[in-house]
Amino acid sequence: EKAESKFDNIKSDFILKKIFNVVRRKKSFQIMKYNKKLQKRLNLSINDYKDYSQLIEIELKINDNKYGKFINIPDEEMKYYHIYFDNSKEEIKSDYLKYNEKIKSIKIIISHQVKSFKELFYWCHCITSIIFKKFYRINITDMSYMFSHCLSLEELYLTNFKTNNVTNMSYMFDVCSSLKKLNLSRFNTENVTNISNMFYKCSSLIILDLSNFNTRKITDMSGLFSNCSSLIEINLSNFNTNNVNDMREMFCNCSSLKELNISNFNTYNVSDMSLMFSGCSLLKELNLSNFITYDLIYIAGMFSGCSKLKELNLSNLITDNVIDMHEMFSGCTSLKELNLSNFNTKNVNKMSKMFFGCSSLKELNIPNFDTKKLTDISEEIFAYCPNELKTKIFNSFKIPNKI
């Protein structure tokens, strides 16, 4: 048979000998997915294959005359697990790592044209170090969730990473809460379209330089830095946002960020900016004069919790299509004046708590506020604002007193 003859060739015999040497050193050896001919050849046990602590080989089966898809060989001192990927599989996952608390560090050599790394190390919460040593003939397109929830990961060496063909990097480093630094200087992102939540809850990251990122094709940046609570510096100087349509929660809860330069952002196609800067409690100023928003629909909570923000220029913000503004400035306790004379609210149906807790607000210019479509008009839009402001607003503009 073809499969049988394949095992007789020199290359597959070499792999078998390497595995056999490991088997001789270890008392137990399990295979999750196995081939009957291979089992007979090595006389391996497949009993209790869920004993992940002893797992050495994850998958080794014959498929279309190809061999050795996922071989996991520990070194002599069991300090590192060397993972070798070979031909014939488009997607590889390492679920066994989630349950093995002995594995702390991994060295990886990629040597075949796997197309997806999606969820490769997902929830591998005990691993502290991952090193990608070599890449060969790589055609990977999906890296979403690749390191997601690697809660203990402190070191990640990606200098040899090949990302030329990747289109999806969403949630890639999601909840890598122990990661303090990340070098992505060699990342090629020219074909990436989705980086949503890429660094979500990387709560130990302090500085992030993405100046080399080519974002020309990206359409989704939602939650990109959300909950990066230790981040004090982000370099987005070369970000091209011409095709981006979703920026919701992009900087949400970046509570250590004192300054943010996004003067290069093009927001023509963005439809959702809800919670975009919510919880950026140390930001004192924010230049959004370049924000021109023809397609904007959602801006709920956009600046909520920006408690140190003293002024805002929203003169170019076009709100003709916006339907949700609830809690937009909620908790902006340092804002003293706000000019929203350009705001068109004819389609807005939610404004609840829009200025909630703006306790320092003395001047508010809203001459074009139309509240006819509001469905939540009973909510206190100006709750905890100065009484003088409320009186002035109700006397000057056509806004129902029940607000």
Side-chain angles (χ1 to χ4, degrees):
E1 293 181 8
K2 291 183 179 180
E4 186 72 24
S5 61
K6 188 67 180 181
F7 266 104
D8 289 332
N9 73 33
I10 297 174
K11 208 165 188 177
S12 57
D13 276 345
F14 173 73
I15 292 174
L16 292 173
K17 286 177 182 177
K18 290 182 75 173
I19 298 170
F20 184 72
N21 289 334
V22 175
V23 175
R24 286 194 303 176
R25 294 201 309 265
K26 306 302 291 179
K27 292 183 178 179
S28 58
F29 183 79
Q30 287 79 32
I31 298 179
M32 189 181 298
K33 294 180 181 179
Y34 65 100
N35 179 278
K36 289 183 179 179
K37 291 184 176 65
L38 176 61
Q39 183 206 5
K40 185 177 180 180
R41 180 83 174 254
L42 293 178
N43 193 25
L44 303 177
S45 168
I46 59 167
N47 296 326
D48 302 320
Y49 65 86
K50 289 184 179 180
D51 180 9
Y52 292 95
S53 63
Q54 298 295 330
L55 197 61
I56 295 174
E57 179 190 342
I58 291 195
E59 182 174 346
L60 185 61
K61 66 178 181 180
I62 307 304
N63 183 20
D64 299 329
N65 288 333
K66 295 181 180 180
Y67 56 87
K69 291 189 290 187
F70 197 133
I71 308 170
N72 187 36
I73 304 175
D75 65 10
E76 295 293 336
E77 297 179 2
M78 298 294 287
K79 288 183 179 179
Y80 294 96
Y81 272 63
H82 302 266
I83 300 177
Y84 295 81
F85 298 85
D86 213 323
N87 296 329
S88 80
K89 196 168 185 181
E90 292 187 352
E91 182 169 332
I92 296 175
K93 296 180 182 179
S94 53
D95 291 345
Y96 75 104
L97 290 171
K98 302 176 190 177
Y99 308 98
N100 196 327
E101 296 184 2
K102 293 181 180 179
I103 302 175
K104 299 297 182 184
S105 187
I106 297 175
K107 291 181 180 178
I108 298 173
I109 296 175
I110 310 299
S111 60
H112 85 305
Q113 295 189 22
V114 61
K115 291 184 179 179
S116 177
F117 275 176
K118 183 179 181 180
E119 300 180 8
L120 180 59
F121 299 105
Y122 182 70
W123 266 112
C124 296
H125 60 278
C126 294
I127 295 175
T128 59
S129 176
I130 298 177
I131 302 171
F132 285 83
K133 297 183 69 176
K134 293 180 182 179
F135 272 60
Y136 299 106
R137 297 181 287 112
I138 295 303
N139 194 31
I140 302 164
T141 59
D142 192 350
M143 288 184 172
S144 59
Y145 296 89
M146 186 173 176
F147 306 101
S148 179
H149 287 80
C150 288
L151 305 178
S152 302
L153 190 62
E154 295 176 355
E155 293 181 314
L156 188 55
Y157 296 92
L158 304 174
T159 51
N160 295 316
F161 233 43
K162 306 295 183 186
T163 62
N164 303 43
N165 297 306
V166 178
T167 60
N168 191 353
M169 289 185 176
S170 62
Y171 293 89
M172 188 173 179
F173 306 101
D174 166 51
V175 199
C176 288
S177 53
S178 298
L179 205 58
K180 293 182 179 180
K181 57 183 178 180
L182 195 55
N183 184 355
L184 305 179
S185 59
R186 295 194 180 184
F187 262 39
N188 183 337
T189 60
E190 62 182 12
N191 289 307
V192 178
T193 60
N194 189 350
I195 55 173
S196 63
N197 296 283
M198 185 174 179
F199 305 101
Y200 174 79
K201 218 169 185 177
C202 288
S203 52
S204 296
L205 270 183
I206 298 174
I207 297 175
L208 196 54
D209 184 358
L210 303 182
S211 56
N212 61 301
F213 268 38
N214 181 340
T215 60
R216 182 174 52 88
K217 292 184 179 180
I218 293 174
T219 59
D220 192 348
M221 289 186 178
S222 60
L224 181 57
F225 308 105
S226 180
N227 289 284
C228 290
S229 54
S230 298
L231 205 58
I232 60 173
E233 185 180 329
I234 316 174
N235 188 342
L236 307 175
S237 56
N238 290 321
F239 260 41
N240 180 334
T241 61
N242 292 1
N243 291 308
V244 177
N245 55 52
D246 195 346
M247 287 186 177
R248 60 193 158 90
E249 301 182 37
M250 187 172 178
F251 303 98
C252 181
N253 291 324
C254 288
S255 53
S256 297
L257 209 57
K258 292 184 178 181
E259 56 183 49
L260 182 61
N261 184 1
I262 48 176
S263 57
N264 55 307
F265 274 33
N266 180 340
T267 60
Y268 275 46
N269 294 308
V270 179
S271 61
D272 195 345
M273 288 185 177
S274 52
L275 298 168
M276 185 173 178
F277 306 101
S278 177
C280 291
S281 53
L282 293 184
L283 272 182
K284 291 184 178 181
E285 56 183 45
L286 194 56
N287 183 3
L288 303 181
S289 57
N290 56 304
F291 270 39
I292 301 174
T293 55
Y294 292 108
D295 292 334
L296 197 58
I297 298 175
Y298 306 102
I299 49 178
M302 186 173 177
F303 306 101
S304 61
C306 291
S307 54
K308 291 200 174 181
L309 209 55
K310 294 184 177 181
E311 58 182 46
L312 265 177
N313 181 357
L314 303 176
S315 57
N316 289 321
L317 211 65
I318 299 170
T319 63
D320 293 14
N321 298 312
V322 173
I323 61 174
D324 192 351
M325 289 184 176
H326 83 272
E327 297 187 34
M328 185 175 180
F329 304 99
S330 175
C332 290
T333 55
S334 298
L335 267 182
K336 294 183 177 181
E337 57 182 59
L338 197 54
N339 184 1
L340 304 180
S341 56
N342 58 301
F343 270 37
N344 181 347
T345 63
K346 65 180 181 180
N347 291 311
V348 178
N349 55 48
K350 289 184 180 181
M351 279 189 186
S352 62
K353 299 181 179 180
M354 185 171 177
F355 304 98
F356 184 93
C358 291
S359 54
S360 300
L361 199 60
K362 294 181 179 180
E363 295 292 332
L364 180 60
N365 191 3
I366 50 173
N368 299 315
F369 260 42
D370 185 340
T371 61
K372 292 177 182 177
K373 289 190 177 181
L374 289 186
T375 58
D376 57 356
I377 201 164
S378 61
E379 296 289 338
E380 295 188 25
I381 296 177
F382 300 100
Y384 299 102
C385 288
N387 289 329
E388 312 88 75
L389 179 69
K390 291 181 184 178
T391 303
K392 189 176 181 179
I393 293 296
F394 295 143
N395 290 338
S396 302
F397 307 118
K398 295 179 181 180
I399 297 179
N401 283 330
K402 58 182 176 179
I403 293 178

